[in-house]
Amino acid sequence: MNDAAPAPTPAPAPRKRARVRAPELIGKGGWLNTGGKELTLADLRGKCVVVDFWTFCCINCLHVLDELRELEEKHRDTLVIVGVHSPKFVHEAEHQAVVDAVERYEVHHPVLDDPELATWKQYAVRAWPTLVVIDPEGYIVAQHAGEGHANALRTLVEELEAEHEAKGTLRRGDGPYVAPEPVASDLRFPGKTVLLPSGNLLVSDTTRHQLVELATDGETVVRRIGADGEFREPQGLALLPDGTVVVADTVNHALKRLDPATGAIERIAGTGRQWWQGSPTSGPALEVDLSSPWDVAWWQGKVWIAMAGVHQIWTYDPATRTVEVAAGTTNEGLVDGPAAEAWFAQPSGLAATADRLWIADSETSALRFVETEGDGYVVRTAVGTGLFDFGHRDGAADQALFQHPLGVTALPDGSVAVSDTYNHALRRFDPASGEVTTLATDLREPSDAVVVGEDVVVVESARHRLTRLRLPEEAVQVESVAHRTRREATDVAAGRVRLDVVFQAPNGQKLDERYGPSTRLLVSSTPPELLLAGEGKGTDLFRELELNPDLTEGVLHVSAMAASCDDDPANEYPACHVHQQDWGVPVRVAEGGAARLPLILAGMDEAGAGA
């Protein structure tokens, strides 16, 4: 009999990685959350580093911030997460706006403010969010775009820890994060508000994860509602006919109902898990996943939900206690038509009138609406043209511009007020005249408004207060300005171009093909005439595109998804993970342009030049 312990099974050899030196982190706006210190990659040598390219308008970026929190806490002595804030909108290039966003979304790691996209360009990033992993010796070892990579990152960080512990190149200890001083105020980045039957105002105090009831003056705190983690970054509020209030509990991916009389709170929709492609889109409300519900409104006997996380509008029926998709395909963009075929981009504000549900569609800087047509619903756009055009311009609706509006409010005369968030303005659209005007300026990130008598009370989110304005009879005159999202176009060859979405299943995982293809690719373009061939859906992560030689530039819209599962034959029910991302890639058709367009979903582009 041999009492010796059996020889341990050797650990699988780590995947051989490309050796690409990480470019320096540079940004004109400087560093936040470092106590005033300028960081360099040399300061981070010896640590595993995850660089998170994000911008604060992007719901997918906010999802990734939440995904990273557990990883950040578990590996605090070996891992440093560095946010690189890379703006899409003009407002996001303002330094104070980045400072506000870092506090608003409770970012507890160093953040580089890169308003000119210098580091974005050095790392050849193409999408928000993108995560780049740098090993303790300063080499890039992986790149991931989109959401759903938390498990892959955890596995990779553990591999890097073991590998560099053995080599003696891992440095344990505190990271460079320095918490800012807390600020005292009654509200902190409030999101939405609703007028209660009592005349008091209920406000979602987003960053403090509570609701706050204010007296009729809009300032005096009557009570705070929702302690002990009941809410996480609550946003939208809707008063129901029975006097209760539905709350969009955004980061908990749920709807809650508050009884203002008793203070009782109950979950009425959502499981607490985030919706992913392939999940049910209708059924018993407490059994269906939601994704970042941002606003709610009562219309036609149901609660309508701005489901920002999946670019759709859903409904909750209190009579049957069920939810279902009402409009949108989950594709991100601006497409009108029958509700089931429409595209939205982060709908974030709702307001109901007798015949329309108005929608602030934030990422397209658009004002849109749903109305009945025949036996169904149709989606139309009042103001806005697409994902990349924005500004502050009044006048006829077909040429007026907003900048990332988050709120819309029905006014007594049949017009609507738009909380034009990144223009720091309250705007008005009159359906009768088709004109857009400006009601007020010098508001700091207004995110919602409510009519109180002859006044409108505006949620000034970044001033942490409600502001009461008299509804003006005359519009404010502003100087018109138009912008287009500035990202360098990729030169591509005329004719045929191969699109490759790079996806490598993380170590210890494999593609999940138990129920059919585990990957999905959707391609379209703006303008549609840019693509002569290659648009549409498919299951391969590559596509042969044919570009129109008569057009010199446009945008390719690419949406990719891949599902992978833990590769453990002994486990009958392995854990599975969904990775997905949408890209909007500006392209310019040019002589000598690339015949291959790689987009990295996860891994490294072995056929290209790495990062």
Side-chain angles (χ1 to χ4, degrees), residues 170-409:
L170 184 71
R171 176 167 56 89
R172 294 184 179 273
D174 292 339
Y177 170 67
V178 177
E181 289 293 322
V183 180
S185 60
D186 288 333
L187 301 174
R188 205 71 193 159
F189 298 104
K192 307 285 187 180
T193 188
V194 68
L195 182 66
L196 297 173
S198 64
N200 289 352
L201 291 154
L202 188 66
V203 184
S204 53
D205 196 18
T206 303
T207 299
R208 295 221 175 99
H209 313 292
Q210 292 181 329
L211 307 181
V212 177
E213 184 178 343
L214 301 176
T216 54
D217 60 7
E219 298 179 6
T220 305
V221 175
V222 175
R223 58 174 168 165
R224 296 182 180 275
I225 303 166
D228 303 321
E230 181 70 54
F231 299 112
R232 287 182 64 203
E233 297 184 23
Q235 285 284 347
L237 305 166
L239 184 68
L240 300 191
D242 65 3
T244 62
V245 175
V246 173
V247 183
D249 194 6
T250 304
V251 176
N252 277 329
H253 308 295
L255 299 188
K256 305 281 178 67
R257 179 159 49 205
L258 165 71
D259 184 342
T262 65
I265 301 167
E266 65 169 330
R267 178 169 56 91
I268 58 172
T271 63
R273 297 183 300 269
Q274 183 183 342
W275 187 94
W276 288 99
Q277 289 287 351
S279 301
T281 56
S282 64
L286 292 174
E287 299 174 15
V288 177
D289 300 338
L290 308 182
S291 183
S292 298
W294 208 273
D295 203 5
V296 281
W298 178 255
W299 189 55
Q300 295 192 347
K302 294 181 181 180
V303 176
W304 291 67
I305 310 161
M307 203 71 77
V310 287
H311 317 299
Q312 290 180 314
I313 306 297
W314 289 37
T315 59
Y316 165 74
D317 186 339
T320 60
R321 299 183 181 180
T322 57
V323 292
E324 64 179 350
V325 175
T329 64
T330 76
N331 297 323
E332 184 178 12
L334 193 156
V335 176
D336 289 341
E341 301 171 15
W343 292 22
F344 296 95
Q346 235 168 278
S348 301
L350 299 176
T353 58
D355 57 349
R356 288 179 177 177
L357 180 75
W358 293 93
I359 302 163
D361 201 28
S362 62
E363 280 294 286
T364 54
S365 298
L367 174 64
R368 306 176 72 187
F369 58 90
V370 175
E371 64 182 356
T372 56
E373 184 173 89
D375 296 331
Y377 293 103
V378 65
V379 175
R380 294 192 168 94
T381 298
V383 181
T385 57
L387 284 164
F388 304 102
D389 295 302
F390 59 93
H392 190 154
R393 187 162 65 197
D394 287 338
D398 61 358
Q399 56 88 52
L401 293 171
F402 300 126
Q403 184 181 180
H404 197 80
L406 291 179
V408 59
T409 306

Side-chain angles (χ1 to χ4, degrees), residues 44-59:
L44 303 176
R45 199 61 52 83
K47 299 284 190 181
C48 305
V49 178
V50 174
V51 182
D52 175 18
F53 290 88
W54 69 297
T55 189
F56 63 79
C57 73
C58 164
I59 191 67

Side-chain angles (χ1 to χ4, degrees), residues 426 428 438-440 454 456 469-476:
L426 189 68
R428 174 178 177 265
T438 297
L439 298 176
E454 295 183 352
V456 61
L469 305 171
R470 179 57 54 93
L471 281 171
E473 295 181 8
E474 299 296 327
V476 176

Side-chain angles (χ1 to χ4, degrees), residues 1-6:
M1 184 175 176
N2 186 351
D3 292 331

Side-chain angles (χ1 to χ4, degrees), residues 12-20 135 140-142 156 159-160 163 504 507 603-604 606:
R15 177 185 291 156
K16 184 174 177 59
R17 302 189 185 96
R19 301 282 283 176
V20 179
D135 73 11
I140 294 174
V141 294
L156 180 54
E159 288 178 7
L160 291 173
E163 178 183 336
Q504 298 164 351
N507 275 0
M604 298 284 282
E606 305 292 351

